[in-house]
């Protein structure tokens, strides 16, 4: 959440600071994300927020970090108009990194940080909460308004096609206290893609016109929350602790139809059958040979798409290398193609299988976790 000076005479919003949200995560996407470490279900926070052109996410792994800026307002002036106050449905807004108090309207084909789904009519809110003499509601109240009102507006804007497990989340722009005291009452609901610091990161194109799946390039390492052994969902350097390393992506449209085909969601078993013929081959090529892959002792794994994601138009699955460990993932350090540590130790490949043996020894899985039906597990290290 954002922290503001208590001095009522404070008039310089550029001096405001960012304070991490100290509220506990409510269920959190980290607990749901990759609950099955072998059958990956990529997931992301659904509700986000933007504070006066800054981000204030209040759910899951994201913190309510945001630098609340202001406009060029003199002491005796009313609120100055800017791209936020003038924005309409379908506009795309951007601002310099670290300076969200200066939003500008840009073409949606350019990099931007927020897509406006529509204004929120404050007359629908109870009492005189948004009257001329009303006090600033505060970040927590704005978060509640966002959670109650913005999903409906965004759902209408996207015709019900927001991927709940994709890389975009619902947000709301609202005025800082300084702007509020100058008369600002504008609220905007919209869409954003959120970075590891809780702030909006740039993306290109309208959300409705693109695949909302996570799409990491081959070789990307995804961070790990070590206490929970769950992925953070954000890329990190492979020299840092991480949960898995991607070997590439697979476009499921080639097999099951693109978003315009009208074809029904392929069940998980069908997706696994298809991906089992692609991801192991892709991993072998990524590693430079089967022997090198086996030497890592890592599993070849992949994501599948849920039906809501499919209906939203998402079509991309991710192939990756990881190792189940205690209900989550083992901690990897290093690129799997060079020097790799697994929970701080070099991997030790098992001896060759006896003659006639069809499969290597599978990696033990946590209770209640089933492997992909057609997956050939990597040997245990």
């Amino acid at each position: 959440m954002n922290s503001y000076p208590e001095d009522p005479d404070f008039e310089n919003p550029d001096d405001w600071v960012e304070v991490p949200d100290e509220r506990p995560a409510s269920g959190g996407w980290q607990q749901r994300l990759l609950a099955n470490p072998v059958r990956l279900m990529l997931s992301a926070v659904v509700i986000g927020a933007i504070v006066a052109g800054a981000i204030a996410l209040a759910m899951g792994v994201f913190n309510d970090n945001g630098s609340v800026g202001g406009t060029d307002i003199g002491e005796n002036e009313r609120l100055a108009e800017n791209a936020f106050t003038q924005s309409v449905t379908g506009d795309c807004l951007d601002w310099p990194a670290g300076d969200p108090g200066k939003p500008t309207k840009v073409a949606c084909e350019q990099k931007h940080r927020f897509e406006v789904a529509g204004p929120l009519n404050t007359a629908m809110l109870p009492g005189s909460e948004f009257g001329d003499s009303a006090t600033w509601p505060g970040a927590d109240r704005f978060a509640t308004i966002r959670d109650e009102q913005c999903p409906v507006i965004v759902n209408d804007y996207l015709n019900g096609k927001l991927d709940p497990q994709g890389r975009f989340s619902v947000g709301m722009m609202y005025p800082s206290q300084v702007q509020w005291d100058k008369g600002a009452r504008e609220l905007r609901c919209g869409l954003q893609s959120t970075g590891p610091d809780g702030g909006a990161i740039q993306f290109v194109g309208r959300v409705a016109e693109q695949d909302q799946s996570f799409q990491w390039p081959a070789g990307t390492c995804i961070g790990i929350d070590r206490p929970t052994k769950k992925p953070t969902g954000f890329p990190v350097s492979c020299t840092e602790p991480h949960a898995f390393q991607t070997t590439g992506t697979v476009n499921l449209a080639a097999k099951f139809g693109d978003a315009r085909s009208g074809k029904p969601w392929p069940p998980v078993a069908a997706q696994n059958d298809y991906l089992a013929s692609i991801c192991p081959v892709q991993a072998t090529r990524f590693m430079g040979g089967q022997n090198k892959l086996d030497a890592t002792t890592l599993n070849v794994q992949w994501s599948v798409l849920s039906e809501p994601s499919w209906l939203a138009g998402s079509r991309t699955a991710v192939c990756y290398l990881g190792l189940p460990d205690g209900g989550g993932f083992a901690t990897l350090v290093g690129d799997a193609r060079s020097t790799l540590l697994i929970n701080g130790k070099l991997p030790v490949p098992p001896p060759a299988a006896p003659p006639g043996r069809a499969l290597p020894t599978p990696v033990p899985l946590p209770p209640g976790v089933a492997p992909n039906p057609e997956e050939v597990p990597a040997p245990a290290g």
Side-chain angles (χ1 to χ4, degrees):
M1 60 184 289
N2 293 297
S3 177
Y4 308 101
E6 298 179 356
D7 182 357
D9 296 325
F10 182 85
E11 292 288 346
N12 185 2
D14 293 331
D15 290 338
W16 293 357
V17 298
E18 299 179 5
V19 180
D21 185 5
E22 296 180 354
R23 290 171 292 177
S26 56
W29 75 305
Q30 287 182 323
Q31 284 69 41
R32 297 187 298 274
L33 177 66
L34 298 163
N36 181 336
V38 180
R39 182 175 296 148
L40 174 65
M41 294 290 287
L42 293 171
S43 188
V45 62
V46 175
I47 301 297
I50 292 189
V51 184
I55 310 335
L57 287 146
M59 293 181 62
V61 69
F62 303 122
N63 290 327
D64 284 352
N65 291 339
S67 176
V68 182
T71 56
D72 295 328
I73 304 171
E75 185 175 353
N76 297 315
E77 294 178 296
R78 299 290 290 174
L79 176 73
E81 293 291 319
N82 62 15
F84 161 48
T85 60
Q86 296 173 339
S87 63
V88 297
T89 300
D91 281 354
C92 291
L93 304 178
D94 192 36
W95 50 85
D99 193 8
K102 298 179 180 178
T104 57
K105 179 181 175 180
V106 299
C108 293
E109 293 72 27
Q110 300 177 6
K111 291 181 178 180
H112 57 278
R113 302 178 193 271
F114 191 76
E115 181 177 342
V116 178
L120 198 163
N121 183 4
T122 57
M124 298 173 57
L125 300 175
S128 57
E129 189 174 19
F130 280 74
D132 289 343
S133 60
T135 58
W136 187 65
D140 288 343
R141 174 57 182 156
F142 279 125
T144 299
I145 294 171
R146 173 204 65 213
D147 295 349
E148 293 175 347
Q149 305 294 333
C150 285
V152 175
I153 293 174
V154 169
N155 185 68
D156 288 345
Y157 176 67
L158 292 180
N159 294 317
K161 294 187 176 181
L162 175 64
D163 184 347
Q165 296 168 321
R167 53 198 170 94
F168 298 103
S169 57
V170 178
M172 187 178 80
M173 298 178 68
Y174 62 85
S176 67
Q177 184 164 10
V178 167
Q179 292 173 318
W180 178 277
D181 292 342
K182 300 299 181 182
R185 297 295 186 270
E186 301 282 347
L187 301 179
R188 298 287 186 271
C189 297
L191 292 146
Q192 65 192 56
S193 181
T194 308
D197 63 352
I201 59 176
Q202 292 178 316
F203 63 96
V204 175
R206 295 185 184 277
V207 172
E209 298 171 356
Q210 57 186 296
D211 188 328
Q212 299 175 42
S213 314
F214 286 95
Q215 301 177 42
W216 298 300
T220 303
C221 292
I222 302 302
I224 188 169
D225 179 60
R226 300 182 79 168
T228 63
K229 300 185 179 182
K230 305 298 182 183
T232 64
F234 300 111
V236 298
S237 168
C238 290
T239 60
E240 299 177 24
H242 54 276
F244 59 83
Q245 184 172 8
T246 64
T247 60
T249 59
V250 179
N251 184 357
L252 298 181
K255 173 69 173 179
F256 302 108
D258 62 25
R260 295 167 294 181
S261 68
K263 291 186 176 181
W265 169 70
V268 169
Q271 295 181 54
N272 279 330
D273 286 344
Y274 180 59
L275 293 167
S277 68
I278 298 176
C279 288
V281 175
Q282 187 187 85
T284 300
R285 183 171 59 248
F286 173 80
M287 289 299 304
Q290 187 65 46
N291 290 339
K292 292 182 178 180
L293 174 59
D294 291 343
T296 68
T297 72
L298 299 177
N299 272 13
V300 177
Q301 302 172 217
W302 52 82
S303 67
V304 294
L305 294 176
S306 68
E307 187 170 12
S309 296
W310 181 267
L311 295 176
S314 294
R315 293 294 186 272
T316 303
V318 178
C319 303
Y320 65 99
L321 299 173
L323 193 64
D325 181 33
F329 278 79
T331 298
L332 310 181
V333 175
D335 192 311
R337 294 166 292 186
S338 55
T339 301
L340 176 69
L341 297 178
I342 302 177
N343 289 335
K345 299 179 180 180
L346 292 170
V348 179
R357 186 169 182 175
L359 296 175
T361 302
V363 175
L365 298 178
V369 177
N372 291 325
E374 301 297 330
E375 181 182 345
V376 178

